[in-house]
Amino acid sequence: MEHKIHYVLRNNLSMPLPEMAGQFGLEQAKRANTFHTSFPEYSQTPLVDLRDLAGMLGVAGIYVKDESPRFGLNAFKVLGGSYCIGRYIAQRLGADISQMPYKELISRKVREKLGDITFITATDGNHGRGIAWTASKIGQRSVVLMPSGSSAERLENIRALGAEASITDLNYDDTVRLASAIAEEKGWVLVQDTSWPGYETLPLWIMQGYTSMGYEIVRQLEDIKPTHIFLQAGVGAMAGAMAGFFASYYGAGKRPRVIVVEPDRADCVYRTALAGDGRLHRVEGELQTIMAGLACGEPCTIGWSVLEKCADAFVSIPDNIAAKGMRMLANPLGNDKRIISGESGAAAFGLAMVTLMCQDMEDLKERLRLDSTSRILCISTEGDTDKENYRHIVWDGLYPSM
């Protein structure tokens, strides 16, 4: 099978780190992780060592961070939403986040000082579920808007956590604009995992929450250093946070190569890198892809400010590559552990695998310097958050959402 990808390479490996990368360094990651560990549901998610697969493909290692067990929500997004809400409440009280663990958040004292708060967000599913869960845990209200075509299962998962949730007739980016307008009109708090001029503080807190994953990963890897990190991007917030964390952790010239992966029908970060004109570039329309969590048409300003200097390749992929990643993780080789990874969760892993395995990807493989010394890290950001869709793809090879 021919893999119709497009990519842009950057010579960023030895570039000085951008100032923004320092916002996602080790100390910040520790702060975020300490906050998350204060929740009774916290446990470190697995870093799976796919040794047999690495041996077959002739590389030194393949590691996948499995975020499906995260807080029982089947995705990583709650790390950002919960930390952002914690930071917001701490700021309202004039406190530091270190003074706002879970037990303090749910205290009568905090409730009496702040009263009722409504948090509103736009989401394809995972981020909204994280906001709904956090608001429910601390006794506050949440409103979640979802773009046209969103999964009914994801909608019901959000409603089950007590949120007022609905599906709009708008695409993702227009749904974000709607949530922002409602927040301004009603005096609610917009907790959005993308940023634009004038709205950057809360998205920064969300991205810093994601670095909790990076902190866990480097502890789990111990003395193993990855040479390549494949990161999927929607708006680029998670990818930017992780690229910033690993660049800061290892340092300029020593950091792993970072490859950013997007669906070819919603590849706003790739198009921004391709243009190279200092402006952000949008993708218009319905953004139809099985990778629902990555179906975003406008890059996050903060995410791009890091990726522009800390990523080495931007790759636009068709749906079949994400589907292959899902099937490979669900059907492991030898003694490797099985991972249930959803459509967005498996996108970066899928690209890494076809690059190693397929003859028509030899040029990209060579340009990325993937060889017998390579140690590849991927993050499976979600499990089967739409179980029916997952079965159709993994069992039948069909893409029913298209």
Side-chain angles (χ1 to χ4, degrees), residues 129 132 136 153-163 165:
R129 193 177 183 185
S136 175
E153 179 180 345
R154 293 184 178 120
L155 172 66
E156 292 308 317
N157 284 338
I158 292 169
R159 286 176 171 171
L161 293 167

Side-chain angles (χ1 to χ4, degrees), residues 252-266:
K254 298 178 182 179
R255 64 169 178 81
R257 282 185 170 82
V258 170
I259 300 92
V260 178
V261 184
E262 292 173 282
D264 56 8
R265 299 187 185 185

Side-chain angles (χ1 to χ4, degrees), residues 311-370:
D312 307 285
F314 300 86
V315 188
S316 173
I317 67 167
D319 284 347
N320 66 310
I321 290 180
K324 184 177 184 69
M326 294 168 68
R327 288 192 288 269
M328 288 186 67
L329 289 170
N331 298 276
L333 193 67
N335 293 316
D336 289 347
K337 182 183 175 183
R338 181 187 185 213
I339 298 173
I340 302 298
S341 185
E343 301 89 336
S344 299
F349 176 81
L351 176 65
M353 293 304 98
V354 298
T355 304
L356 290 173
M357 297 171 67
C358 300
Q359 188 172 358
D360 67 321
M361 302 287 280
E362 281 293 330
D363 182 64
L364 181 59
K365 179 180 177 180
E366 182 177 335
R367 288 171 179 264
L368 294 179
R369 299 187 183 181
L370 286 165

Side-chain angles (χ1 to χ4, degrees), residues 55-242:
M56 187 193 83
L57 297 180
V59 294
I62 299 173
Y63 307 91
V64 179
K65 179 71 164 169
D66 179 8
E67 283 295 299
S68 64
R70 182 68 70 184
F71 285 143
L73 298 175
N74 215 7
F76 83 104
K77 285 281 192 175
V78 65
L79 292 174
S82 62
Y83 187 68
C84 178
I85 288 174
R87 289 288 299 264
Y88 172 81
I89 291 174
Q91 183 185 68
R92 285 275 304 269
L93 296 172
D96 186 80
I97 189 62
S98 63
Q99 301 170 286
M100 205 54 56
Y102 172 70
K103 287 184 178 179
E104 187 68 17
L105 284 175
I106 63 173
S107 67
R108 180 180 299 177
K109 176 179 66 175
V110 167
R111 183 61 186 238
E112 289 174 350
K113 286 183 177 179
L114 296 183
D116 294 329
I117 304 171
T118 297
F119 298 99
I120 184 171
T121 192
T123 181
D124 61 87
N126 294 336
H127 171 68
R129 193 177 183 185
I131 297 300
W133 180 85
T134 306
S136 175
K137 290 287 292 181
I138 64 174
Q140 297 291 1
R141 180 171 177 253
S142 61
V143 175
V144 178
L145 304 181
M146 303 179 71
S148 174
S150 292
S151 159
E153 179 180 345
R154 293 184 178 120
L155 172 66
E156 292 308 317
N157 284 338
I158 292 169
R159 286 176 171 171
L161 293 167
E164 179 185 320
S166 60
I167 297 176
T168 72
D169 58 358
L170 306 170
N171 71 11
Y172 172 79
D173 301 290
D174 287 336
T175 304
V176 171
R177 280 185 273 273
L178 176 61
S180 179
I182 293 172
E184 186 172 352
E185 176 191 348
K186 296 183 177 292
W188 295 348
V189 181
L190 179 68
V191 187
Q192 201 58 54
D193 56 344
T194 189
S195 63
W196 53 86
Y199 181 73
E200 293 186 323
T201 299
L202 272 69
L204 172 62
W205 292 341
I206 289 173
M207 291 175 64
Q208 289 174 333
Y210 296 157
T211 64
S212 192
M213 282 193 301
Y215 182 69
E216 290 180 0
I217 288 168
V218 294
R219 294 176 67 192
Q220 290 168 312
L221 285 172
E222 296 179 336
D223 59 347
I224 297 171
K225 177 187 169 185
T227 60
H228 298 76
I229 304 178
F230 287 74
L231 297 169
Q232 53 272 60
V235 297
M238 185 279 288
M242 289 295 95

